Amino acid sequence: MNNASLTLFQVHNERYVHHMKKQVGGDHYAKMAIQPWEYAEQNDLSFLQGSVVKYVSRYKDKGGIQDLKKAIHCIELMISTFPQETIDRVSYNLKDK
């Protein structure tokens, strides 16, 4: 099938599928059923929320404990956006480094 016979949606979809199959630097995302960025986009997650999904999804195949620490850091950044009195009401204990 050539591009002249494709609808605009089909051309867009073919390009999308092509880019979905591509990964620069490893295969830790490409082998997932759904890539973290796609999940984040479909669920309207913020950058930090999407980063948590990314780091937790790939830690076994890429960064190990360092990726889990990155996810924790993103969560701590999200927590820091709450008023201090709200943070004080919720107790959590994560050892530093």
Side-chain angles (χ1 to χ4, degrees), residues 2-48:
N2 64 37
N3 281 350
S5 63
L6 296 175
T7 67
L8 184 58
F9 174 77
Q10 289 169 320
V11 170
H12 171 74
N13 193 45
E14 280 188 7
R15 288 180 186 151
Y16 178 79
V17 169
H18 168 75
H19 291 293
M20 284 292 294
K21 291 179 182 178
K22 177 182 176 183
Q23 180 177 335
V24 177
D27 66 349
H28 47 280
Y29 297 129
K31 64 184 178 181
M32 294 180 181
I34 181 171
Q35 292 193 21
W37 75 265
E38 188 176 12
Y39 176 83
E41 176 125 340
Q42 292 295 317
N43 290 284
D44 199 27
L45 300 183
S46 71
F47 176 79
L48 288 173

